[in-house]
């Protein structure tokens, strides 16, 4: 199923893969002559996930598609899946800033689109400006990450080391992939990967008993004081996403 993802376009392929990545893949097998189904998880999101999953960073990995070869600067692999593409530019040259890195990512999506079927988000940086966004995000929707620890109170600076140390702590990366990447209302896959939303999510998980309640597949509950983005103006708490009973 994973190798043969062939939808109508890149976005639909990516959405299907993200569903597999977050929720597992349903497989059928024979047991004593009976056909049964089970879920195979592609990633271990438990507390042991930092040890049980395989994390790999590759520089200048060659991708070939339709006789075109491209080599993104850095690709981050999780259990063999190329989940993050990173494009780096030099801030010393006006022609090669983070905007140029963003355009380069978009060129990759056109020329080697198969790579981005398995993409969770991308990062563009010129060492001064460092931002992350998904395959459907415009440049103005690429967001900064301003905390190394994941603590909202630390959000003063946004730079190269803050983003990379903050996002790529293994436990935090797994949390982002599992809980902060989701389809929007218009089915465009997006990520709510800002430190504000991450800290809101972790705050709510720590402060709510959800074992006997409804839990949100994507978002959980966000206090209005954390929103700062006009999600709603009339209630103290916001609830978004699709719900299931646990």
């Amino acid at each position: 199923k994973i190798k043969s993802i062939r939808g109508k376009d890149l976005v639909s392929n990516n959405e299907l893969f993200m569903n597999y990545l977050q929720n597992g893949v349903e497989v059928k097998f024979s047991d004593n002559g009976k056909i049964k189904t089970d879920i195979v998880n592609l990633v271990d999101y438990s507390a042991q996930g930092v040890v049980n999953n395989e994390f790999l960073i590759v520089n200048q990995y060659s991708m070939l598609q339709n006789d075109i070869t491209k080599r993104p600067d850095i690709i981050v692999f999780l259990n063999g899946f190329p989940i993050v593409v990173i494009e780096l530019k030099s801030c010393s040259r006006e022609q090669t800033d983070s905007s140029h890195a963003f355009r380069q990512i978009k060129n990759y999506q056109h020329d080697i689109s198969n790579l981005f079927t398995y993409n969770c988000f991308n990062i563009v940086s010129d060492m001064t400006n460092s931002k992350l966004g998904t395959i459907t995000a415009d440049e103005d929707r690429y967001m900064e990450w301003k905390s190394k620890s994941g603590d909202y109170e630390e959000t003063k600076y946004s730079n190269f080391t803050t983003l990379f140390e903050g996002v790529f702590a293994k436990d935090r990366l797994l949390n982002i992939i599992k809980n902060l990447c989701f389809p929007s209302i218009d089915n465009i896959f997006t990520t709510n990967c800002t430190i504000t939303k991450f800290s809101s999510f972790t705050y709510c998980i720590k402060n709510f008993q959800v074992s006997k309640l409804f839990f949100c597949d994507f978002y959980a509950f966000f206090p209005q004081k954390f929103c700062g983005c006009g999600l709603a103006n009339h209630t103290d708490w916001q609830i978004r996403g699709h719900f299931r009973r646990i």
Side-chain angles (χ1 to χ4, degrees):
K1 287 186 176 181
I2 297 170
K3 292 177 66 175
S4 60
I5 296 177
R6 295 293 182 270
K8 62 181 181 179
D9 53 31
L10 173 59
V11 174
S12 60
N13 290 343
N14 182 253
E15 182 176 352
L16 178 57
F17 171 73
M18 287 300 301
N19 181 53
Y20 290 157
L21 191 69
Q22 293 171 329
N23 304 308
V25 182
E26 185 179 90
V27 296
K28 294 182 179 180
F29 60 95
S30 178
D31 182 15
N32 295 324
K34 296 182 179 180
I35 301 299
K36 296 184 178 181
T37 60
D38 202 353
I39 299 295
V40 175
N41 292 313
L42 305 182
V43 176
D44 182 358
Y45 292 106
S46 72
Q48 292 74 41
V50 171
V51 176
N52 293 339
N53 295 303
E54 181 180 69
F55 300 84
L56 183 66
I57 299 176
V58 180
N59 184 39
Q60 297 290 313
Y61 186 87
S62 296
M63 286 292 301
L64 175 65
Q65 184 177 336
N66 298 327
D67 296 324
I68 298 175
T69 300
K70 296 293 183 179
R71 297 178 180 85
D73 287 337
I74 299 174
I75 299 178
V76 178
F77 291 84
L78 173 61
N79 296 342
F81 300 112
I83 59 166
V84 181
V85 176
I86 303 171
E87 191 66 18
L88 305 174
K89 300 299 179 183
S90 172
C91 61
S92 63
R93 298 176 59 189
E94 185 176 346
Q95 296 82 1
T96 56
D97 57 9
S98 60
S99 293
H100 185 268
F102 170 79
R103 293 192 293 273
Q104 188 69 59
I105 289 287
K106 289 302 180 182
N107 289 337
Y108 289 152
Q109 288 181 204
H110 178 269
D111 294 335
I112 49 173
S113 58
N114 290 345
L115 172 65
F116 293 89
T117 292
Y118 308 96
N119 179 271
C120 295
F121 58 88
N122 304 303
I123 291 177
V124 297
S125 176
D126 59 10
M127 307 300 289
T128 299
N129 298 307
S130 301
K131 301 179 180 181
L132 68 165
T134 59
I135 60 172
T136 57
D138 293 329
E139 185 177 2
D140 62 348
R141 298 306 299 166
Y142 267 59
M143 298 298 177
E144 298 175 335
W145 185 279
K146 300 181 180 180
S147 171
K148 292 183 180 181
S149 67
D151 185 354
Y152 179 68
E153 299 301 325
E154 191 186 320
T155 58
K156 294 182 180 179
Y157 305 104
S158 172
N159 56 37
F160 181 83
T161 56
T162 299
L163 184 148
F164 280 85
E165 292 183 25
V167 170
F168 289 107
K170 292 179 180 179
D171 57 341
R172 195 170 302 123
L173 178 62
L174 293 173
N175 196 343
I176 290 170
I177 294 170
K178 176 64 175 176
N179 297 306
L180 292 178
C181 295
F182 51 88
S184 62
I185 296 174
D186 54 2
N187 293 323
I188 295 177
F189 219 83
T190 185
T191 180
N192 214 27
C193 227
T194 63
I195 184 59
T196 305
K197 299 304 182 297
F198 180 83
S199 61
S200 300
F201 180 85
T202 54
Y203 170 89
C204 294
I205 293 301
K206 290 177 181 178
N207 288 278
F208 283 90
Q209 285 288 339
V210 297
S211 59
K212 296 181 180 180
L213 301 175
F214 285 100
F215 187 73
C216 174
D217 275 336
F218 303 129
Y219 242 68
F221 306 86
F222 290 99
Q224 190 175 24
K225 66 177 182 178
F226 284 126
C227 290
C229 57
L231 288 179
N233 298 314
H234 306 293
T235 59
D236 293 330
W237 297 90
Q238 318 309 322
I239 304 175
R240 293 189 60 183
H242 301 284
F243 294 82
R244 66 182 187 274
R245 185 182 294 277
I246 59 174

